[in-house]
Amino acid sequence: MTGGHALVVTGGPIPANQGPLPSADLIIAADGGADNAAALGLTVDLVIGDLDSVSSAAVARAKKVERHPEDKDETDLELALSAAVAAGTGSVTVVGTLGGRVDHALANLLVAAGDRWANLRIDLRIDGAQAWVVRDHVEIVAQVGDVVSLLAVGGRATGVTTTGLAWPLANAEVKPGVGLGLSNRMAAPKAEVVVNDGTLLVIVDRTGLEPVTSSDGFLKPL
């Protein structure tokens, strides 16, 4: 499956306001994510984790189950991403939520942006928002006015240049814990973010804006 795409569904509450998800060659559920996958109409290829929060019915429906001890050093999401790498995928969409435990939600964002996955192209669907882990560049297709935030992860990001945003950056430095890059907006239907060095988590958030829906009632994909 070299170069294929995987969906990784995390546990916790069912993600809210999820629109259509991209097609995938492999669907992996991180523990209780198997129940969320079922709720989203997905057939799980692999359930992985310590299986402390997944229903027996969801485990039975999975094509393959890989159980790990409860006392482990890796989170269930780390195990799922490792499985995606082992399967030869080149890109992953992580499906999750900001509901439930705050530490789990924050840990999932930080894990996805970790250097360990530098060879994977990772994007995330977090409730009604979409995010990308950016180490070089990303093109964003969204609605004019959508909120876009650029957050540095693991250290400063340098050479940050944007086009298509209301407040452009040119060869800027974005540091962790600093407001520069937060709450920008789409000024055009397409925008681009370029990073020379470092890692950015680029988030497009429709929260607080009127959702854009398709004729079938789902949120349009970004």
Side-chain angles (χ1 to χ4, degrees):
M1 192 191 296
T2 302
H5 185 71
L7 277 179
V8 172
V9 184
T10 64
I14 297 173
N17 301 320
Q18 271 293 338
L21 294 169
S23 59
D25 305 291
L26 179 67
I27 297 178
I28 303 172
D31 207 315
D35 289 290
N36 288 343
L40 294 170
L42 302 172
T43 300
V44 173
D45 295 300
L46 170 66
V47 178
I48 191 169
D50 54 25
L51 308 188
D52 65 343
S53 60
V54 64
S55 70
S56 57
V59 171
R61 286 192 297 265
K63 296 179 182 178
K64 183 180 179 181
V65 178
E66 185 177 314
R67 184 166 193 162
H68 289 253
E70 289 188 22
D71 296 330
K72 60 187 190 309
D73 293 329
E74 294 177 296
T75 68
D76 293 328
L77 178 56
E78 286 179 283
L79 293 173
L81 290 173
S82 291
V85 171
T89 58
S91 59
V92 174
T93 296
V94 177
V95 181
T97 179
L98 292 179
R101 286 179 51 176
V102 174
D103 56 341
H104 282 180
L106 181 57
N108 282 344
L109 291 172
L110 294 177
V111 164
D115 290 342
R116 182 178 177 183
W117 322 113
N119 291 328
L120 280 179
R121 302 291 295 189
I122 297 179
D123 72 289
L124 304 97
R125 303 294 179 91
I126 308 297
D127 298 318
Q130 185 171 3
W132 296 264
V133 179
V134 183
R135 294 183 172 86
D136 43 26
H137 73 279
V138 67
E139 183 181 88
I140 304 166
V141 179
Q143 303 295 315
V144 173
D146 281 353
V147 177
V148 182
S149 290
L150 283 60
L151 305 177
V153 180
R156 63 179 187 170
T158 59
V160 178
T161 299
T162 67
T163 56
L165 299 182
W167 298 281
L169 298 175
N171 200 32
E173 179 179 272
V174 179
K175 298 178 181 179
V178 175
L180 180 66
L182 189 68
S183 296
N184 211 320
R185 287 187 182 271
M186 294 289 292
K190 290 185 179 182
E192 185 178 28
V193 178
V194 175
V195 181
N196 283 346
D197 187 59
T199 303
L200 286 179
L201 192 60
V202 177
I203 304 170
V204 176
D205 193 350
R206 298 179 187 276
T207 304
L209 300 177
E210 182 179 351
V212 177
T213 57
S214 60
S215 58
D216 58 10
F218 287 104
L219 280 172
K220 288 184 178 178
L222 297 175

